[in-house]
Amino acid sequence: MRCINRMKKRMLLNAKGYILLEMLLCFFIFTIILSLLIVPLQLMLDRQFSEKELQDMEWEVFILELKKETKKAQYIGVANNKLFLYVDGRMVTYERYESSVRRRVDSTGHEVALQGVNNVKFTSNKNGFSIEVINRFGMEKSTSVKSYLHLGSDVN
């Protein structure tokens, strides 16, 4: 009994040490949890950055394909914020559809040419046309496509 009473007295006297040890243990556990959370947070931030890079790459591919198709075109027209290309006896149309720019051939089909678009504007200019796009990140992209054909003003 005496031994138990002595141990209780020692524990009461050493309570400060016990609290310090408990605090160090809690701090150690907290740092482990925090270090495990840093990796997923970095991945989430990197993912958002990579989506912007993918949007830029998609824009470049879209412009390359559009220029390639423009070179083949026998007629180019811009009306009602739509681009019309007459290629190999078929009318190819580029227009905004919801949050994308779609490509249609002879007013049929639905091929997504560019996605993640908030706004698109086609305008005709001398010897070609220009396109301005505002993507879902609010970034504005624009380019001019030149053609050696005479740009048509009206499309049936």
Side-chain angles (χ1 to χ4, degrees), residues 55-71:
Q55 184 82 24
D56 289 341
M57 286 189 286
E58 187 179 359
W59 167 257
E60 294 297 326
V61 171
F62 169 69
I63 293 303
L64 288 174
E65 291 296 319
L66 188 60
K67 286 180 178 181
K68 188 168 113 177
E69 196 161 35
T70 303
K71 284 182 182 180

Side-chain angles (χ1 to χ4, degrees), residues 13-152:
L13 293 176
N14 285 336
K16 291 180 182 176
Y18 179 72
I19 292 173
L20 177 66
L21 183 64
E22 184 179 324
M23 184 183 74
L24 289 174
L25 181 66
C26 290
F27 182 72
F28 178 72
I29 293 171
F30 176 73
T31 55
I32 289 175
I33 291 172
L34 188 63
S35 67
L36 293 175
L37 289 177
I38 288 175
V39 174
L41 289 175
Q42 285 178 338
L43 289 175
M44 286 177 18
L45 293 175
D46 289 344
R47 181 173 175 246
Q48 187 178 30
F49 182 70
S50 67
E51 285 181 16
K52 288 181 181 178
E53 288 178 338
L54 286 174
Q55 184 82 24
D56 289 341
M57 286 189 286
E58 187 179 359
W59 167 257
E60 294 297 326
V61 171
F62 169 69
I63 293 303
L64 288 174
E65 291 296 319
L66 188 60
K67 286 180 178 181
K68 188 168 113 177
E69 196 161 35
T70 303
K71 284 182 182 180
K72 294 179 185 178
Q74 292 86 27
Y75 174 83
I76 300 171
V78 175
N80 298 329
N81 203 27
K82 294 180 183 181
L83 174 66
F84 299 94
L85 304 172
Y86 190 73
V87 181
D88 297 328
R90 297 179 157 221
M91 184 61 70
V92 178
T93 308
Y94 285 89
E95 62 188 351
R96 180 172 181 229
Y97 180 77
E98 295 179 359
S99 65
S100 62
V101 175
R102 73 174 174 182
R103 177 183 180 269
R104 300 179 78 195
V105 180
D106 290 332
S107 297
T108 60
H110 174 81
E111 179 183 346
V112 176
L114 183 65
Q115 57 188 355
V117 173
N118 286 346
N119 193 14
V120 64
K121 181 180 178 185
F122 294 101
T123 54
S124 62
N125 50 16
K126 188 176 181 183
N127 296 330
F129 62 92
S130 62
I131 178 172
E132 298 173 11
V133 171
I134 299 175
N135 65 14
R136 66 181 168 190
F137 300 109
M139 297 173 57
E140 184 175 329
K141 303 279 188 179
S142 64
T143 191
S144 293
V145 179
K146 302 245 184 223
S147 175
Y148 297 105
L149 298 173
H150 177 66
L151 187 67

